[in-house]
Amino acid sequence: MYYATPVVVVSECLGFSACRYNGDIIHHSLVARLADVARFIPVCPEVAIGLGVPRETVRLVKRGEEKRLVQPASNRDWTEEMKTFAREFLETIGEVDGFIFKGRSPTCGIKEVKIYHEGDRAMPVEKGMGMFAEQAVRHFPYAVVEEEGRLMNAAIREHFLTKLFSLALFREVKAERSMRALVRFHSEHKYLFMAYSQTGLKQLGRLVANRERLPIEEVLNAYEQGLHALFARAPQRRSHVNVCQHLMGYFKKEMSAKEKQYVLELLAQYRAHQLPLSSVTSVLKSWAIREENEYLLQQRYFAPYPPALMDVRDSGKGRDAV
């Protein structure tokens, strides 16, 4: 199966250079595996604005209602340098499908970044988003964004990779500006989209039907909006069960009663968190192979991203976020 090459901006300390404040480099397994199938744009905003390696730490400080980027050791304010760099960098890198940031960084963190009151070096008063990451999310509101630590969670990682490779492929569809390419994209993603949202799937289907004969640019723009709305949240377990039951329907005449019961038992175990989804989908895909059902074999539901990225290990970190 063909996969588009996603463009991913990644914190430079995640395997590219020893640029952390203490001179460390962090080796991340997913970033390493993605290197073969994605185009990375590494960036260290702190080094880019002139902070050295190693360096005194910077932190977010609240001054009234405004957040400032301050180096406590010297009381130097780096806010304007960071905002200028972020704006210039983000405006010149072209299209981006996703971001992988270093968590809790005052520049790159997307959650749980400590924010302090001005003059108080002890306890943070709140938590929020890093200054560079905040600009990135504002500039690329539809890109998929995650932190390296949260990507150790299997559910978060699955959603991130699924969305990342789907957006990258749709970027190619947009460039082709062809209804035929859009129809093919929608057809291949039917059951993946059904897992995310049946309502969203129907809305996208109406756009592809294009009964109003709208120009291709209007259709693509509307479809893109609907696609981002569909991917706003990860699928629920019950939605995957529903999709697998739909897929079983293709083989209702070929499956024996015992074979149907076996798949239903697998689904029950998956619903009870006793098996991964792949335990069910691999069986259903084997039936598609056996019956030579080319339509199902083209469904990206079975492999929404390159199989080399599959990893069933789960840290549990960030579990409440999906």
Side-chain angles (χ1 to χ4, degrees):
M1 180 175 284
Y2 169 77
Y3 296 95
T5 301
V7 179
V8 183
V9 176
V10 58
S11 289
E12 195 167 337
C13 61
L14 298 178
F16 296 90
S17 71
C19 60
R20 291 209 72 204
Y21 72 95
N22 58 359
D24 280 353
I25 185 171
I26 300 170
H27 297 286
H28 193 272
S29 59
L30 178 60
V31 172
R33 294 198 307 277
L34 267 172
D36 294 329
V37 291
R39 180 168 75 85
F40 282 137
I41 304 176
V43 61
C44 177
E46 295 180 20
V47 170
I49 64 173
L51 291 165
V53 180
R55 58 186 172 273
E56 295 291 342
T57 58
V58 291
R59 59 168 53 173
L60 292 178
V61 171
K62 197 164 186 181
R63 186 177 297 165
E65 294 302 314
E66 185 183 15
K67 285 191 301 186
R68 308 293 296 181
L69 185 68
V70 177
Q71 200 167 33
S74 62
N75 204 31
R76 169 74 188 274
D77 190 320
W78 292 88
T79 305
E80 298 311 316
E81 289 91 339
M82 181 58 66
K83 287 183 176 180
T84 298
F85 167 73
R87 182 180 65 255
E88 294 175 351
F89 175 83
L90 297 168
E91 287 176 351
T92 57
I93 56 175
E95 291 192 278
V96 170
D97 302 302
F99 292 82
I100 299 178
F101 282 134
K102 176 67 189 77
R104 300 185 180 181
S105 159
T107 53
C108 290
I110 65 170
K111 293 177 180 286
E112 302 296 317
V113 178
K114 295 177 181 179
I115 303 173
Y116 298 81
H117 259 316
E118 187 174 22
D120 185 355
R121 300 191 178 190
M123 296 294 293
V125 293
E126 59 183 82
K127 293 182 179 181
M129 185 177 291
M131 187 165 286
F132 178 81
E134 193 169 36
Q135 298 261 13
V137 170
R138 189 178 300 124
H139 193 85
F140 294 99
Y142 298 128
V144 55
V145 182
E146 264 305 343
E147 295 178 345
E148 98 293 351
R150 283 168 47 87
L151 286 171
M152 299 303 290
N153 172 280
I156 293 174
R157 185 171 61 246
E158 177 78 14
H159 176 54
F160 175 85
L161 291 172
T162 297
K163 184 176 178 180
L164 179 68
F165 280 89
S166 299
L167 293 182
L169 187 58
F170 183 72
R171 175 166 47 79
E172 294 188 354
V173 171
K174 284 195 302 178
E176 195 170 335
R177 298 177 66 253
S178 156
M179 281 302 299
R180 178 179 295 182
L182 181 61
V183 169
R184 182 175 65 248
F185 176 88
H186 186 74
S187 176
E188 291 177 355
H189 288 80
K190 176 181 176 179
Y191 288 105
L192 178 63
F193 291 171
M194 182 183 288
Y196 273 85
S197 169
Q198 291 194 63
T199 301
L201 171 65
K202 292 175 182 177
Q203 291 172 343
L204 292 176
R206 285 193 290 269
L207 291 171
V208 173
N210 195 19
R211 293 188 177 89
E212 296 84 2
R213 304 291 182 181
L214 298 172
I216 182 64
E217 290 81 4
E218 284 190 39
V219 176
L220 287 171
N221 287 338
Y223 193 95
E224 184 173 25
Q225 297 296 319
L227 187 63
H228 292 304
L230 180 139
F231 277 130
R233 290 189 176 186
Q236 298 296 311
R237 203 164 279 258
R238 63 176 179 271
S239 298
H240 282 300
V241 172
N242 176 59
V243 169
C244 290
Q245 289 171 337
H246 272 80
L247 296 174
M248 281 182 66
Y250 282 87
F251 314 113
K252 59 185 177 183
K253 294 181 180 179
E254 290 79 15
M255 281 184 170
S256 68
K258 287 185 177 180
E259 288 168 329
K260 291 178 184 176
Q261 184 59 36
Y262 174 65
V263 176
L264 291 174
E265 288 173 359
L266 291 178
L267 279 174
Q269 289 178 285
Y270 164 71
R271 193 198 297 266
H273 299 258
Q274 295 170 343
L275 285 177
L277 179 63
S278 58
S279 297
V280 187
T281 56
S282 59
V283 172
L284 293 172
K285 185 175 181 179
S286 72
W287 273 93
I289 295 171
R290 173 180 170 177
E291 298 302 321
E292 299 182 344
N293 190 316
E294 291 303 318
Y295 175 70
L296 289 189
L297 290 175
Q298 292 172 1
Q299 288 298 311
R300 292 184 180 267
Y301 181 71
F302 290 117
Y305 52 84
L309 299 176
M310 179 66 68
D311 186 355
V312 299
R313 289 173 293 180
D314 184 7
S315 71
K317 185 173 183 178
R319 187 178 302 278
D320 60 349
V322 294

